[in-house]
Amino acid sequence: MQQKFTRSNIIVWFLDLFLIAFLVFDFGFQNFKDFRTYKLIALPVLLLSLIAFNIHKYRSFNSTLKIKKTARVNLVLLSLLIVLEIISIITNYQGSFLDTFFKERYIIEYGLLFYFFTRLTFLMRRIYSIYFNPAILFVGSFALIALAGTFLLMLPAATTHGITFIDALFTATSATAVTGLIVLDTAKDFTPFGQTIIMVLFQIGGLGMLTFTSFFAYFFKSGASFKESLYMKDILGQENLNSIMRVAMSIVVFSLVLEAVGALFIYSSLQGIDSYKDRGFFAVFHAISAYCNAGFSISSTGLYDESLRFNYYMQWVVMILIVMGGLGYNIASNFIQYVKHFFYNLFNKNNKKFISRVITLNTKIVIYTTILLIVVGTGFFLISEQETFLSEHKTVFGKFTTAMFSSVTSRTAGFNTIDMSNFTVPGILFMIFLMWIGASPASTGGGIKTTTFAIATLNIFSIARDKSNIEIGTRRVAKESVLRAFAIISISLASIGLGILLLLIFNPQFTLLEIAFEVFSAFSTVGLSLGITPELSEPGKYVVIFLMFFGRIGLINLMIGILKNVNTTEYTYPKENILIN
């Protein structure tokens, strides 16, 4: 049995490597179209080999029920690709089978790409079962995604004029960390293939590779191990292990549905605008970028493009997507649950449900803090920027929308509907403050998070009132949350300070304000810049790469993964006060 298992594994890895080589060569090299005969042989051989192997796995008496279910889903997917390809060839037949096949082959190729992604998720799950450290796996998954993205962006078909390793790494890290800082023009320097790679990177980076892995585990009905549930419990912030896979499934579906609806609204807002040839791709790209708080745009000037900066309808759609992504699924789910209970009680007065505790304290803090920051930011920009970028917007609604968009996008989204060089110094400083706070925990955004800022602020008042605990309503905030909040603040300020110091050394030609803005934007994964990113020196680019990466994963997570001692025992030393003030 062990011999058969080993032989089976060898076949699996051989087919996976063959699949990788074929997809990379097919999508990554433009001159692959010259090898028509090779493709005509390789594509059917690869497809039939995958089908044959999955049939073998399904019919093998040694296969477990889990393997049989996976093989069955794979067979359905691969068979569906063949059926769709045959229908497409018959429907679009142009007198030559070869010409028609090569024009319609993308159905199979994109299907195989999806198949490979599912195989990758199963590889990740195999790693989970071997290595037990959720924090390190979380950090490692982002590093692997960024490195894979770097390799893909260096393929000839991804760029129009080639790309260096440092620029590919910078772009891939920026996309994976959902930052949006760019050293190349996404619209002009990357082909549609390269733009698609960037879009996939910030989609996976926004939701997390581990979330996608759990989604496919649920989708394929292959179950989840106890260890995998523990990983996702920490990442998703869930307490109930039994519902972890269902939550991961819900997060992916919720996100994809919201992005699809957003893309439809963005597409409708582009009616009458002829400057974008493929409005569908433009809409999908920006919907995903907005929800994931990535800030990437396939417009060379971002949303400051003349046809977009006065498109207030589109800006409101983008703002809603940014806010929803910045809140996270947990907050949205809790709020939806409250709304359901509210309407149930409204129509069932004789059998009301108790809803006072449906909204959690975490949800209240996140929503109140988010609303406060948006309102204060909008008001501040309306006052400070009346004579600058708001002056070109003639209507009150236009000024209000632009100011509010600047307030929303500053907290990790990174889109710009204004010329950043027109900002006043107070406006830039306040934007740095908003960038530092960022979005909410377990969301697609970065920063120290709204709950961290709220707890730190409430702790100040608690100490001033000589209270030993932070009390909100009839609830007491756990000491562990307070300690973690101040640890995150300390680490963020130390990292930002070191980043500013290094960039000042490597790029002395820029002012302190430009450098500080760049560092805060990178560490908080915002993506806004005062225009210095493409001009950074190579050492400066590496500094920003590390800032983006550590800002996305959270240095506290990495430190926990490295320093946490699993076998700790409960003990208490004698207490002694330290003079603070």
Coordinates of all heavy atoms in Angstrom, one line a residue, residues 467-505:
K467 N -9.8 54.6 36.9 CA -10.5 53.3 36.9 C -9.5 52.2 36.4 O -8.6 52.5 35.5 CB -11.6 53.4 35.9 CG -12.8 54.2 36.4 CD -14.0 54.0 35.4 CE -15.2 54.7 36.0 NZ -16.4 54.6 35.1
S468 N -9.6 51.1 36.9 CA -8.6 50.0 36.6 C -9.0 49.3 35.3 O -8.2 48.5 34.8 CB -8.6 49.0 37.7 OG -9.8 48.5 38.0
N469 N -10.2 49.5 34.8 CA -10.7 48.8 33.6 C -11.4 49.8 32.7 O -11.9 50.9 33.1 CB -11.7 47.7 34.0 CG -11.1 46.6 34.8 OD1 -10.2 45.9 34.3 ND2 -11.6 46.4 36.0
I470 N -11.4 49.5 31.4 CA -12.2 50.3 30.4 C -13.6 49.7 30.4 O -13.8 48.6 30.1 CB -11.5 50.2 29.0 CG1 -10.1 50.7 29.0 CG2 -12.4 50.9 28.0 CD1 -9.4 50.5 27.7
E471 N -14.5 50.6 30.7 CA -15.9 50.2 30.7 C -16.7 50.9 29.6 O -16.7 52.1 29.5 CB -16.5 50.5 32.1 CG -15.9 49.7 33.2 CD -16.4 50.2 34.6 OE1 -17.2 51.1 34.6 OE2 -16.0 49.6 35.6
I472 N -17.5 50.1 28.8 CA -18.3 50.6 27.8 C -19.7 50.0 28.0 O -19.9 48.8 27.8 CB -17.8 50.2 26.4 CG1 -16.3 50.7 26.2 CG2 -18.7 50.8 25.3 CD1 -15.7 50.2 24.9
G473 N -20.6 50.9 28.4 CA -22.0 50.5 28.7 C -21.9 49.5 29.9 O -21.4 49.9 31.0
T474 N -22.4 48.3 29.7 CA -22.4 47.3 30.8 C -21.3 46.2 30.5 O -21.4 45.1 31.0 CB -23.8 46.7 31.0 OG1 -24.1 46.0 29.7 CG2 -24.8 47.7 31.3
R475 N -20.3 46.6 29.8 CA -19.3 45.6 29.4 C -17.9 46.2 29.8 O -17.6 47.4 29.8 CB -19.3 45.3 27.9 CG -20.4 44.4 27.5 CD -20.3 43.0 28.1 NE -21.3 42.1 27.7 CZ -22.4 41.9 28.4 NH1 -22.6 42.5 29.5 NH2 -23.3 41.0 28.0
R476 N -17.0 45.3 30.2 CA -15.6 45.6 30.5 C -14.7 45.1 29.5 O -14.8 43.9 29.1 CB -15.3 45.1 31.9 CG -13.8 45.2 32.3 CD -13.7 44.8 33.8 NE -14.2 43.5 34.0 CZ -13.5 42.3 33.9 NH1 -12.2 42.4 33.6 NH2 -14.0 41.2 34.2
V477 N -13.8 45.9 28.9 CA -12.8 45.4 27.9 C -11.7 44.6 28.6 O -11.2 45.0 29.6 CB -12.2 46.6 27.2 CG1 -11.1 46.2 26.2 CG2 -13.3 47.5 26.5
A478 N -11.4 43.5 28.0 CA -10.4 42.5 28.5 C -9.1 43.2 28.6 O -8.7 43.9 27.7 CB -10.4 41.2 27.7
K479 N -8.3 42.9 29.6 CA -7.0 43.4 29.8 C -6.1 43.0 28.6 O -5.2 43.8 28.2 CB -6.4 43.0 31.1 CG -6.9 43.6 32.4 CD -6.4 45.1 32.5 CE -6.8 45.6 33.8 NZ -6.4 47.1 33.9
E480 N -6.3 41.8 28.1 CA -5.5 41.3 27.0 C -5.6 42.2 25.8 O -4.6 42.4 25.1 CB -5.8 39.8 26.7 CG -5.5 38.8 27.8 CD -6.5 38.8 28.9 OE1 -7.6 39.5 28.8 OE2 -6.3 38.1 29.9
S481 N -6.8 42.7 25.5 CA -7.1 43.5 24.4 C -6.3 44.9 24.5 O -5.8 45.4 23.6 CB -8.6 43.8 24.2 OG -9.3 42.6 24.0
V482 N -6.3 45.4 25.8 CA -5.6 46.7 26.0 C -4.1 46.5 25.8 O -3.5 47.3 25.2 CB -6.0 47.2 27.4 CG1 -5.2 48.5 27.7 CG2 -7.5 47.3 27.6
L483 N -3.6 45.4 26.4 CA -2.1 45.2 26.2 C -1.8 45.0 24.8 O -0.7 45.5 24.3 CB -1.7 44.0 27.0 CG -1.9 44.1 28.6 CD1 -1.6 42.7 29.2 CD2 -0.9 45.1 29.1
R484 N -2.6 44.3 24.0 CA -2.3 44.0 22.6 C -2.4 45.4 21.8 O -1.6 45.6 20.9 CB -3.3 43.0 22.0 CG -2.9 42.6 20.6 CD -3.9 41.6 20.1 NE -3.6 41.1 18.8 CZ -2.9 40.1 18.5 NH1 -2.4 39.3 19.5 NH2 -2.6 39.7 17.2
A485 N -3.4 46.2 22.2 CA -3.5 47.5 21.5 C -2.3 48.3 21.6 O -1.8 48.9 20.6 CB -4.8 48.2 22.0
F486 N -1.8 48.5 22.9 CA -0.6 49.3 23.1 C 0.7 48.7 22.5 O 1.6 49.4 22.1 CB -0.4 49.6 24.5 CG -1.3 50.8 25.0 CD1 -2.6 50.5 25.5 CD2 -0.9 52.1 24.8 CE1 -3.4 51.6 25.9 CE2 -1.7 53.1 25.2 CZ -2.9 52.9 25.7
A487 N 0.7 47.3 22.4 CA 1.9 46.7 21.8 C 1.9 47.0 20.3 O 2.9 47.3 19.7 CB 1.8 45.2 22.0
I488 N 0.7 46.9 19.7 CA 0.6 47.3 18.2 C 1.0 48.7 18.0 O 1.7 49.0 17.0 CB -0.9 47.0 17.7 CG1 -1.1 45.5 17.7 CG2 -1.1 47.6 16.4 CD1 -2.6 45.1 17.5
I489 N 0.5 49.6 18.8 CA 0.9 51.0 18.6 C 2.4 51.2 18.7 O 3.0 51.9 17.9 CB 0.1 51.9 19.6 CG1 -1.4 51.9 19.3 CG2 0.7 53.3 19.7 CD1 -2.2 52.7 20.3
S490 N 3.0 50.6 19.7 CA 4.4 50.8 19.9 C 5.2 50.2 18.8 O 6.2 50.9 18.3 CB 4.8 50.1 21.2 OG 4.2 50.6 22.3
I491 N 4.8 49.0 18.3 CA 5.5 48.4 17.2 C 5.4 49.2 15.9 O 6.3 49.4 15.1 CB 5.0 47.0 17.0 CG1 5.5 46.1 18.1 CG2 5.5 46.4 15.6 CD1 4.9 44.7 18.1
S492 N 4.2 49.7 15.7 CA 3.9 50.5 14.4 C 4.7 51.8 14.4 O 5.3 52.1 13.4 CB 2.4 50.9 14.3 OG 2.0 51.8 15.3
L493 N 4.8 52.5 15.6 CA 5.6 53.7 15.6 C 7.1 53.5 15.5 O 7.8 54.2 14.8 CB 5.3 54.5 16.9 CG 3.8 55.0 17.1 CD1 3.6 55.7 18.4 CD2 3.5 56.0 15.9
A494 N 7.5 52.4 16.1 CA 8.9 52.0 16.0 C 9.3 51.7 14.5 O 10.3 52.1 14.0 CB 9.3 50.8 16.9
S495 N 8.4 50.9 13.9 CA 8.7 50.5 12.5 C 8.6 51.7 11.5 O 9.5 51.9 10.6 CB 7.6 49.5 12.0 OG 7.6 48.3 12.8
I496 N 7.6 52.6 11.7 CA 7.5 53.8 10.9 C 8.7 54.7 11.1 O 9.3 55.2 10.2 CB 6.2 54.5 11.2 CG1 5.0 53.7 10.7 CG2 6.2 55.9 10.7 CD1 3.7 54.2 11.2
G497 N 9.1 54.9 12.4 CA 10.3 55.7 12.7 C 11.5 55.2 12.0 O 12.3 56.0 11.4
L498 N 11.8 53.9 12.1 CA 12.9 53.3 11.5 C 12.9 53.4 9.9 O 13.9 53.7 9.3 CB 13.0 51.8 11.8 CG 14.2 51.0 11.2 CD1 15.5 51.6 11.7 CD2 14.1 49.5 11.6
G499 N 11.6 53.2 9.4 CA 11.5 53.4 7.9 C 11.8 54.8 7.5 O 12.4 55.0 6.4
I500 N 11.3 55.8 8.2 CA 11.6 57.2 7.9 C 13.1 57.4 7.9 O 13.7 58.1 7.0 CB 10.8 58.1 8.8 CG1 9.3 58.0 8.6 CG2 11.3 59.6 8.6 CD1 8.5 58.8 9.6
L501 N 13.7 57.0 8.9 CA 15.2 57.2 9.1 C 16.0 56.5 7.9 O 16.8 57.2 7.3 CB 15.7 56.5 10.4 CG 17.2 56.7 10.7 CD1 17.6 58.1 10.9 CD2 17.5 55.9 12.0
L502 N 15.6 55.3 7.5 CA 16.3 54.6 6.5 C 16.1 55.3 5.1 O 17.0 55.5 4.3 CB 15.9 53.2 6.4 CG 16.3 52.3 7.5 CD1 15.7 50.9 7.4 CD2 17.9 52.2 7.6
L503 N 14.8 55.7 4.9 CA 14.6 56.4 3.6 C 15.2 57.7 3.5 O 15.7 58.2 2.4 CB 13.0 56.5 3.4 CG 12.3 55.3 2.9 CD1 10.8 55.7 2.5 CD2 13.0 54.7 1.6
L504 N 15.4 58.4 4.6 CA 16.1 59.7 4.6 C 17.6 59.5 4.3 O 18.2 60.3 3.7 CB 15.9 60.4 6.0 CG 14.6 61.1 6.2 CD1 14.5 61.6 7.7 CD2 14.3 62.2 5.3
I505 N 18.1 58.3 4.7 CA 19.5 58.0 4.4 C 19.7 57.6 3.0 O 20.6 58.1 2.3 CB 20.0 56.9 5.4 CG1 20.0 57.3 6.8 CG2 21.4 56.4 4.9 CD1 20.3 56.2 7.8

